[in-house]
Amino acid sequence: MRGFRLSVAMLVVLAGQASAAGIDLSKPYGDKYGCINRNGQEVAADQMLLLTDKELVTAASACTFTQKQAQANGSLVVTATCEAEGEEGQEPTKFTIERSAKSPKKLTIADEDGNVMGEVSRCK
């Protein structure tokens, strides 16, 4: 029984470390134009990425998150419904958000096919 208690305590510590290393979207992330436009369209941009805890917005689409799943490697898989500019209806899709290999303060966003959409920094 004593070994079991120790194992449970170790799991609690490890779980705390894993969540601490997870991705925190409590403040918005974006590229240059995403951060400028985080409160509405202030500057026209043909390329833009804005990532919040509820959505991913690009110059041509807006995706609202319906589910977020933290992965063991620290990345976040997000299921969203997306509306594209000029198209009818909503399209379900998945994105993977992970820390950038180049800079740990930045996040990389990839679509469900693994195509990197871009890199974002925390908005100031």
Side-chain angles (χ1 to χ4, degrees):
M1 191 63 138
R2 181 178 171 176
F4 176 74
R5 282 191 213 138
L6 181 61
S7 297
V8 170
M10 289 181 72
L11 282 174
V12 169
V13 168
L14 291 173
Q17 289 174 342
S19 65
I23 294 173
D24 176 16
L25 297 177
S26 61
K27 294 186 179 175
Y29 281 78
D31 60 9
K32 177 182 176 182
Y33 293 107
C35 287
I36 289 171
N37 291 328
R38 71 179 174 261
N39 296 321
Q41 190 70 30
E42 295 178 28
V43 176
D46 54 343
Q47 288 197 331
M48 178 185 94
L49 278 174
L50 176 64
L51 176 65
T52 71
D53 63 334
K54 294 181 177 78
E55 63 187 354
L56 172 65
V57 179
T58 70
S61 64
C63 300
T64 303
F65 301 155
T66 56
Q67 184 177 1
K68 293 184 264 187
Q69 293 179 315
Q71 304 298 299
N73 66 0
S75 67
L76 189 63
V77 173
V78 179
T79 304
T81 54
C82 298
E83 294 180 35
E85 188 176 308
E87 294 183 22
E88 293 288 322
Q90 295 183 339
E91 185 73 25
T93 191
K94 288 188 179 188
F95 299 100
T96 301
I97 303 164
E98 58 191 358
R99 299 231 175 261
S100 167
K102 298 175 195 171
S103 173
K105 290 188 175 188
K106 293 184 177 184
L107 301 177
T108 302
I109 305 165
D111 65 16
E112 59 191 328
D113 295 325
N115 301 313
V116 176
M117 299 172 66
E119 218 172 59
V120 292
S121 301
R122 184 167 271 169
C123 296
K124 296 176 182 170

